[in-house]
Amino acid sequence: MNSAHALLENMLLIRRTEEAIARRYPEQRMRCPVHLSIGQEAAAAGVGLALERQDQAVSTHRAHAHYLAKGGDLDAMIAELYGKASGCCGGRGGSMHLSDPQAGFLASTAIVGNSIPIGVGMALAQQQQGSRQISCVFLGDGATEEGVFFESANFAIVRKLPVLFACENNLYSVYSPLSKRQPAGRSLAGFAEAIGLRAITVDGNDAEAVYAAACEAVTTIRNGAGPCFIEMPTYRWLEHCGAFDDDHLNYRPEGELQVWKERDPIPRQIERAGVSREWLAACEARVAARVDTAFAKAEAAPFPDADSAQDGIYATPLGERA
């Protein structure tokens, strides 16, 4: 499968998974908050495809797309949303806490900016081990306003760490637009450059452009050039937290959502990939089967045993390890 087809299939997997979550969420069987990425698929798919499986990634509260784009186990992710024992965190973390070490997806966390130093710490370990691996830190525009971003980025710059900061700029921090949080004309890439990061801005709704920029950044990082920051302007279609539309709240300018929906990254990638109707139908069928299977398995799986409630809270003391 070539890169254009792989990008499209990954984007369809993310979109159809998120749509299924939104559709089933009112059933009250996923008893955790969900932050969906419908509309933002190109950014996750483009960066994810540019990374190698052994590269390590961390993410935010809006992590489903990054987890899937990095090759995370869909069955385990959906089971986690249902709080089941077969979930990727044993049913203990829910939507905002996903992990699949085999896919190189270390963790996502709920606190804005909290995963940034974890990703930078991974990059330090990779550098010290002489590994070819790099670390990818997925973050949103709001996280660039946290002190921990500046502290972590500065450390990465000073030590020339192999870390990619992949910033999805969806223009809003919950209900607060970027225009209310930053001076007019300031770009996040410019912000990053001002503190010494190499920075790139690329259309976050153009999967091919994201993939090309990410490949270039990953290559330079892997060759020892130090950290890089990619700003990807994109847009979430649904509410900040939840499965529903929220345009009636009027925090977005009238018509803005529709403008971004007309820039839907999936039809753009279908056209760019030049796929046939037959290929697209087969791809949609594969994706639908995977999504349906994941939900069926999650619904049938058991909840964690009550006796395991204290498991995983504390590390096993060194003297007691096998």
Side-chain angles (χ1 to χ4, degrees):
M1 184 185 299
N2 63 35
S3 61
H5 290 190
L7 285 169
L8 178 55
E9 185 152 352
N10 287 341
M11 291 166 69
L12 287 170
L13 177 62
I14 295 167
R15 174 71 63 90
R16 302 304 176 230
T17 299
E18 298 278 67
E19 288 174 340
I21 293 170
R23 187 168 60 250
R24 294 169 181 255
Y25 195 69
E27 297 171 357
Q28 292 289 300
R29 301 184 71 178
M30 289 176 270
R31 302 304 298 271
C32 60
V34 293
H35 299 74
L36 304 180
S37 294
I38 294 175
Q40 300 185 192
E41 298 87 356
V47 173
L49 190 61
L51 299 171
E52 296 181 3
R53 190 168 182 84
Q54 68 267 23
D55 294 329
Q56 299 293 312
V58 293
S59 182
T60 69
H61 52 274
R62 199 177 307 281
H64 304 165
H66 309 140
Y67 174 94
L68 294 175
K70 192 62 176 68
D73 187 327
L74 175 62
D75 293 351
M77 187 189 99
I78 299 303
E80 187 62 32
L81 270 61
Y82 276 75
K84 299 300 183 72
S86 55
C88 60
C89 290
R92 289 167 164 79
S95 169
M96 294 185 283
H97 303 92
L98 304 176
S99 179
D100 189 340
Q102 290 187 338
F105 191 90
L106 180 66
S108 62
T109 63
I111 301 171
V112 174
N114 201 43
S115 58
I116 298 174
I118 297 172
V120 170
M122 285 195 303
L124 176 62
Q126 291 158 352
Q127 184 186 70
Q128 291 179 336
Q129 293 166 0
S131 169
R132 284 190 69 256
Q133 295 171 292
I134 74 164
S135 175
C136 177
V137 176
F138 287 102
L139 68 157
D141 52 288
T144 65
E145 297 162 0
E146 297 289 329
V148 70
F149 168 71
F150 297 97
E151 295 160 358
S152 300
N154 187 72
F155 183 75
I157 295 162
V158 170
R159 299 295 293 266
K160 294 189 69 173
L161 298 182
V163 56
L164 173 65
F165 296 97
C167 179
E168 292 176 331
N169 178 6
N170 67 17
L171 311 182
Y172 289 90
S173 178
V174 189
Y175 302 130
S176 299
L178 199 63
S179 61
K180 300 293 185 183
R181 296 156 26 221
Q182 296 289 341
R186 173 181 285 172
S187 73
L188 299 188
F191 208 33
E193 286 181 332
I195 61 172
L197 282 168
R198 291 180 301 115
I200 305 166
T201 300
V202 62
D203 183 352
N205 275 25
D206 184 336
E208 298 278 357
V210 171
Y211 174 61
C215 284
E216 179 184 350
V218 165
T219 298
T220 59
I221 293 168
R222 216 181 291 282
N223 289 338
C228 185
F229 180 97
I230 299 181
E231 177 188 2
M232 300 171 286
T234 184
Y235 203 80
R236 62 171 168 84
W237 293 6
L238 300 182
E239 57 188 333
H240 164 72
C241 179
F244 307 106
D245 294 321
D246 70 351
D247 210 26
H248 62 283
L249 297 179
N250 298 321
Y251 68 94
R252 315 183 202 229
E254 184 177 354
E256 182 181 83
L257 176 58
Q258 184 57 39
V259 168
W260 280 92
K261 284 188 173 183
E262 291 169 0
R263 298 183 60 204
D264 187 339
I266 290 180
R268 178 187 290 192
Q269 186 58 24
I270 290 172
E271 181 178 354
R272 294 279 290 277
V275 298
S276 66
R277 293 181 182 178
E278 293 76 16
W279 187 95
L280 184 59
C283 181
E284 287 277 23
R286 286 194 301 272
V287 167
R290 289 184 63 187
V291 173
D292 289 346
T293 297
F295 277 92
K297 287 182 176 180
E299 291 180 352
F303 288 102
D305 190 272
D307 292 340
S308 71
Q310 301 299 314
D311 292 354
I313 296 176
Y314 299 103
T316 304
L318 287 174
E320 298 177 16
R321 296 180 187 176

